[in-house]
Amino acid sequence: MNFQQLRSIREAARRGYNLTEVANALFTSQPGVSRQIRELEDELGVVIFERNGKRLTGLTEPGKGILKIVDRLLIEAENLQQASLEYSGQTSGTLSVAATHTQARYALPKVVQGFRAAYPDVRIALQQSAPEHIAEWVLSGKTDIGIATEGLSQFPDLVSFPCYRWSHLIVVPDGHPLLEHTPIRLEDLAKYPLITYDKGFTGRGHIDAAFAKAGVATDIILTAMDSDVIKQYVALGLGVGIVASMAFDHGRDKGLRAVEASHLFASNTTRLAVRRGAYLRAYAYEFILQLAPDLTRADIDRAMAGEEAL
């Protein structure tokens, strides 16, 4: 048994049993992947994958149990490498962070600044994507830390931590009729075309839930992942924007006005997630604590050990 065999098993399950994709991910050939899988099955005396001819089609029942063990073994192998670097006193490395655009653009700059002051030799690889992709990247080990508002707490193999709460704002051009309404109601908003986030991004679920609960129909004419894009189209007069409170700057966003909307939409919690069972380097703890200063290292350790939910 060797690690290449274990990686072949894991990647085959991750990549929908497409051996061409598995071979590309592992920098080997498709026949080489097939051989690694067959050799492990022969050594264990168990058929791990269901097949249609030479094509893999799924996991057998024993294979489902074996895959869980394979995942744990490979995670511990990665943890061993990280621990060796930590115990040898190395303070350099790369911290991979995946976040939605709003978090990366508005929440992380000060965090990264503080982190770099504490760990100047650590490189940060910042990636942006949708919450479901962020979760997948953390689960697969492609990224160390994921940050998003929606969805991260729904994955049992992720440990997530609350970072901070925030609400939405209504954004309109100067002189817009909505500025005469105090307070603005959902019915007032629904009289205008709306521009807001894509589904699954930046608290969009709370926006939809509020209108649905009130029985108010909306005309959402444009959606985007990027708060700046939303504000740009609002500035052009195409509709009324609903954005995260952190995304509006009264000094920078000239020609636009922001109106409090916390009375209309439920508040949101930005969460940070790491893979359950992962070994955290000291600089990973530092990054988490920079983003969630109410946590302590002991809080993080207890959550990682499954002793309490946050």
Side-chain angles (χ1 to χ4, degrees), residues 37-48:
I37 291 173
R38 281 289 191 189
E39 287 177 354
L40 183 58
E41 288 180 323
D42 291 343
E43 182 176 347
L44 296 177
V46 174
V47 177
I48 297 173

Side-chain angles (χ1 to χ4, degrees), residues 266-277:
S267 63
N268 304 271
T269 300
T270 290
R271 300 188 74 89
L272 176 151
V274 296
R275 184 173 55 180
R276 189 175 299 280

Side-chain angles (χ1 to χ4, degrees), residues 240-272:
V240 172
I242 304 173
V243 302
S245 54
M246 70 191 84
F248 192 86
D249 186 310
H250 294 275
R252 185 184 65 244
D253 293 319
K254 303 292 186 182
L256 296 177
R257 297 278 298 278
V259 181
E260 177 64 41
S262 59
H263 63 292
L264 298 177
F265 309 115
S267 63
N268 304 271
T269 300
T270 290
R271 300 188 74 89
L272 176 151

Side-chain angles (χ1 to χ4, degrees), residues 99-176:
T100 59
H101 171 84
T102 299
Q103 304 300 329
R105 171 68 177 81
Y106 298 103
L108 291 187
K110 289 185 178 179
V111 171
V112 170
Q113 188 177 39
F115 175 82
R116 287 284 300 159
Y119 284 91
D121 295 328
V122 176
R123 175 178 174 268
I124 297 176
L126 182 59
Q127 306 168 76
Q128 298 176 52
S129 191
E132 63 269 22
H133 294 150
I134 292 170
E136 290 171 3
W137 290 349
V138 178
L139 287 168
S140 69
K142 179 180 178 180
T143 192
D144 302 309
I145 292 174
I147 303 165
T149 299
E150 300 183 31
L152 293 182
S153 61
Q154 300 172 8
F155 292 82
D157 290 330
L158 294 180
V159 179
S160 70
F161 307 94
C163 299
Y164 59 90
R165 297 182 69 82
W166 56 271
S167 58
H168 287 100
L169 291 175
I170 298 162
V171 179
V172 295
D174 284 335
H176 194 279

Side-chain angles (χ1 to χ4, degrees), residues 1-158:
M1 186 183 303
N2 59 58
F3 282 112
Q4 191 67 5
Q5 292 171 341
L6 301 181
R7 293 187 187 100
S8 296
I9 298 294
R10 182 174 69 178
E11 288 301 321
R14 283 180 177 174
R15 298 179 186 277
Y17 314 108
N18 185 320
L19 294 186
T20 300
E21 291 187 10
V22 175
N24 291 336
L26 297 178
F27 304 101
T28 186
S29 65
Q30 184 174 331
V33 171
S34 297
R35 184 178 67 255
Q36 295 286 354
I37 291 173
R38 281 289 191 189
E39 287 177 354
L40 183 58
E41 288 180 323
D42 291 343
E43 182 176 347
L44 296 177
V46 174
V47 177
I48 297 173
F49 292 102
E50 295 176 344
R51 291 173 170 82
N52 183 358
K54 294 184 178 180
R55 186 167 59 89
L56 304 186
T57 59
L59 286 164
T60 64
E61 283 304 313
K64 294 175 183 177
I66 287 171
L67 178 62
K68 294 179 181 179
I69 298 171
V70 167
D71 279 335
R72 290 200 301 270
L73 287 171
L74 290 174
I75 288 173
E76 290 302 331
E78 293 164 9
N79 287 345
L80 186 60
Q81 291 178 327
Q82 294 298 322
S84 66
L85 294 173
E86 188 75 14
Y87 294 137
S88 65
Q90 293 191 30
T91 58
S92 62
T94 297
L95 182 67
S96 178
V97 178
T100 59
H101 171 84
T102 299
Q103 304 300 329
R105 171 68 177 81
Y106 298 103
L108 291 187
K110 289 185 178 179
V111 171
V112 170
Q113 188 177 39
F115 175 82
R116 287 284 300 159
Y119 284 91
D121 295 328
V122 176
R123 175 178 174 268
I124 297 176
L126 182 59
Q127 306 168 76
Q128 298 176 52
S129 191
E132 63 269 22
H133 294 150
I134 292 170
E136 290 171 3
W137 290 349
V138 178
L139 287 168
S140 69
K142 179 180 178 180
T143 192
D144 302 309
I145 292 174
I147 303 165
T149 299
E150 300 183 31
L152 293 182
S153 61
Q154 300 172 8
F155 292 82
D157 290 330
L158 294 180

